[in-house]
Amino acid sequence: MEADSKPKKSGARLCCVCNQNRAALKRPKTLEQICRECFYAVFEEEIHQVILENQLFKPGDRIAIGASGGKDSTVLAYVLSELNRRHNYGLDLFLLSVDEGITGYRDDSLETVKRNELQYGLPLKIVSYKDLYGWTMDEIVKMIGLKNNCTFCGVFRRQALDRGAALLKVDKVATGHNADDIAETVLLNILRGDIARLSRCTSIITGEDGPIPRCKPFKCTYEKEIVMYAYFKKLDYFSTECIYSPNAYRGFAREFIKDLERIRPRAILDIIKSGEDFRISTTTKMPEQGTCERCGYISSQKWCKACVLLEGLNRGLPKLGIGRTQGLNSDAKISNGMVIQEESVQGQLFCTNQVNPEDQFFGFYICKK
Amino acid sequence: MHLTLEFGGGLELLCKSVKFHNVNVDLPKGADKLSMRDLLAWVRTNLIKERPEMFMKGESVRPGVLVLVNDCDWELSGQLDTTLEEKDVVVFISTLHGG
């Protein structure tokens, strides 16, 4: 063995790919022990293969990368720029950021995205809830309290991203959702009996029948590997939990997934595979897709979720749109085409903390009050 | 034993927002080695000033916290059984935040 500046510890392993360098991490996906250089290569190559096999992009596409300044979107921006160069995808890449108006969280992370704009040379566009809806998340939480914040934020963010994408005139939006996120979503949908979402949440491309489709290039990428990649490459990202997130239901699914990963890391990809292979029984009633009467967004209800939530905010009815709608049953009253839930039949329901994949954007946006 | 500890991914907030700590850890009584297990217990007692459940679960780190010893994943060196040496650098990174 060669002499190092520091003597090798007993049991120091060599990379199983190159057999030359010291192994730096154990990949959860494959349990391989791999050195930094080989890790960079395999990480980047696997994402390249995912892009090719799923035909995520075509030459000339303008792509907006949903950028929060967090670990996933920063690494996505870095890797996509790199692969675009290396493999000549011919893409025009942009950074698209949403300012929800969460003091102490979003204002700091936006500083990171502004640095990313300079570091990666990608033009940045920021859209804000205040401009689009007339409400910041801080104002919303003041009105509705600390439960169900994520429902509002997730629904509004979806439309905000679409609005920003329309302003940038892009062909597609790419988000940094990773394998852990998608496995959590599969579990969440099972826990909530949300069959409609369950059938869509593992798709790597969504919204193809709308104006601006979305894709998730990190669908098969483990969160641990994203963090290790960012750490070794010293990528600049912002890492604080949203101050409102401790109340989110997703936290339970995340805790469970992390515990599972410890015992059997492959479980994360296997859960996604199960989600992909589910088939809905033909006797199960699925919601039908129509359009929102108020704004034209695709919606399975008379009004889309964002319109219902906004109406609730503007009328001082914070529970409007929260809780499961039962269709036309005796517990729900219909007014102006909306189903008004007075008290949720099943008691307190948790917020969804996930975007609604069925929503599409037709060039309208929610009017300020 | 002198060690350098680094807290990242938001964990620094549990240590009064200090990312880097140069520490001197005593070996446990009667032991001739310091293991990660010992170090974690020491960190919980001496460095974590709030919400210890964000850092540890049981005798190990909370699932979702990555640990690197001298820039190597601790999964390669035996996790809690990893033995530490003088001047080692241990990094704790939380992955549990938005992306």
Side-chain angles (χ1 to χ4, degrees), chain A residues 6 9 13 22-26 33 36 68 70-73 224 227-228 231 239 241 255 258-259 262, chain B residues 9-10 13 57 60-61 63-64 66 68 70-73 75-76 83 85 88 91 93 95-97 99:
Chain A
K6 185 177 160 78
K9 281 192 195 285
R13 308 243 184 357
R22 193 167 66 138
L25 76 137
K26 188 171 182 183
Q33 295 164 164
R36 270 196 220 193
S68 60
K71 58 191 186 341
D72 303 307
S73 48
K224 170 180 172 179
V227 175
M228 293 297 255
Y231 176 74
S239 56
E241 264 191 292
E255 182 96 9
K258 288 291 142 184
D259 284 336
R262 218 164 231 199
Chain B
L13 296 176
K57 187 166 168 176
S60 187
V61 289
L66 304 181
L68 292 145
N70 301 324
D71 270 0
C72 279
D73 187 355
E75 305 235 357
L76 296 174
T83 44
E85 289 168 14
D88 273 353
V91 181
I93 314 176
T95 65
L96 302 162
H97 50 80

Side-chain angles (χ1 to χ4, degrees), chain A residues 77-149:
Chain A
Y78 178 88
V79 172
L80 266 189
S81 313
E82 178 52 36
L83 293 178
N84 190 32
R85 246 191 312 271
R86 186 186 296 170
H87 297 285
N88 295 313
Y89 292 162
L91 306 175
D92 252 335
L93 296 174
F94 299 86
L95 292 174
L96 175 56
S97 222
V98 177
D99 181 3
E100 305 97 335
I102 301 175
T103 329
Y105 174 66
R106 189 53 76 206
D107 37 2
D108 291 339
S109 78
L110 282 179
E111 290 310 307
T112 308
V113 193
K114 289 178 191 158
R115 285 200 300 276
N116 291 159
E117 178 184 24
L118 300 170
Q119 288 155 351
Y120 307 147
L122 302 175
L124 166 65
K125 172 113 199 103
I126 302 177
V127 287
S128 79
Y129 282 9
K130 190 68 185 176
D131 287 342
L132 291 175
Y133 309 118
W135 290 80
T136 62
M137 267 316 290
D138 286 343
E139 289 164 357
I140 292 173
V141 173
K142 266 208 195 77
M143 158 157 277
I144 68 173
L146 289 171
K147 272 213 158 81
N148 304 314
N149 313 137

Side-chain angles (χ1 to χ4, degrees), chain A residues 349-363:
Chain A
L349 282 183
F350 300 101
C351 72
T352 58
N353 192 26
Q354 63 181 343
V355 292
N356 184 350
E358 74 191 346
D359 291 343
Q360 288 306 314
F361 192 72
F362 280 154

